């Protein structure tokens, strides 16, 4: 077997290759919006558990007690199969609660963002002397043509 000789020039060319992908991926992961999205998904999952518990432990018993309707009911169909309409109703209630909470949260965030925008005072850029002179000429021409 022959020994393979690696030239220093070839080694220098390879230096730093392959790290671009890793550094780009690291930059992508550490951007704020990716991290915010991950945190939102985790909190959303935890909040879904709270909403499900609220629905199953509080809302469904209230519906059962008031109307006498069983939310956890089933409906038998042919061949021994059952339709679990109670589970569907529970899922719809969960969805409506989640949608309501997200709607209220979004309205609150938008209201806060709107008040922050109002607090920012926008300074109009100063016009150059040429622009001011041209505007004055324009106004004089308008005045002259209107007479």
């Amino acid at each position: 077997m022959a020994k393979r000789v690696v030239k220093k020039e070839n080694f220098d060319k390879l230096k730093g290759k392959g790290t671009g992908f890793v550094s780009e991926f690291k930059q992508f992961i550490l951007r704020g919006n990716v991290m915010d999205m991950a945190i939102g998904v985790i909190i959303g999952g935890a909040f879904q558990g709270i909403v499900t518990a609220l629905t199953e432990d509080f809302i469904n018993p209230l519906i059962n007690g008031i109307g006498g309707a069983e939310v956890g009911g089933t409906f038998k169909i042919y061949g021994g199969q059952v339709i679990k309409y109670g589970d569907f109703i529970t899922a719809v209630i969960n969805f409506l609660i989640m949608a309501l909470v997200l709607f209220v949260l979004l309205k609150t965030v938008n209201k806060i963002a709107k008040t922050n925008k109002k607090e920012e005072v926008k300074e109009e850029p100063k016009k150059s002397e040429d622009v001011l002179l041209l505007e004055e000429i324009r106004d004089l021409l308008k005045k002259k043509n209107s007479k």
Side-chain angles (χ1 to χ4, degrees):
M1 284 191 146
K3 277 189 169 180
R4 188 169 179 169
V5 178
V6 178
K7 294 182 181 177
K8 185 171 181 350
E9 302 90 40
N10 292 341
F11 183 71
D12 288 340
K13 287 180 187 175
L14 292 175
K15 221 178 195 182
K17 294 279 185 180
T19 58
F21 179 79
V22 173
S23 64
E24 280 184 56
F25 183 70
K26 183 179 175 183
Q27 184 180 10
F28 170 76
I29 290 297
L30 295 179
R31 273 195 303 192
N33 50 358
V34 173
M35 296 302 287
D36 292 344
M37 185 177 69
I39 291 169
V41 168
I42 292 168
I43 290 174
F47 186 69
Q48 182 182 5
I50 293 170
V51 169
T52 301
L54 173 73
T55 304
E56 291 176 355
D57 297 335
F58 290 99
I59 295 175
N60 288 352
L62 285 173
I63 292 173
N64 290 342
I66 294 171
E70 187 178 326
V71 178
T74 58
F75 181 69
K76 291 186 182 184
I77 56 173
Y78 63 91
Q81 298 293 319
V82 293
I83 296 175
K84 297 180 179 180
Y85 67 87
D87 293 346
F88 177 73
I89 292 171
T90 300
V92 169
I93 292 170
N94 286 348
F95 170 77
L96 292 174
I97 291 171
M98 289 286 284
L100 177 67
V101 168
L102 290 175
F103 174 74
V104 170
L105 182 67
L106 187 62
K107 279 188 71 79
T108 305
V109 168
N110 286 341
K111 188 179 280 187
I112 291 170
K114 196 181 278 187
T115 57
N116 286 344
K117 277 188 178 179
K118 287 180 183 176
E119 290 175 3
E120 293 177 9
V121 178
K122 292 184 180 179
E123 289 185 33
E124 291 189 28
K126 290 189 175 185
K127 297 179 182 177
S128 68
E129 291 181 27
D130 296 339
V131 173
L132 291 172
L133 184 60
L134 288 171
E135 286 179 351
E136 188 177 331
I137 293 170
R138 178 198 64 201
D139 294 340
L140 288 172
L141 286 172
K142 278 184 183 178
K143 205 181 225 186
K144 182 180 176 186
N145 288 336
S146 65
K147 287 183 181 178

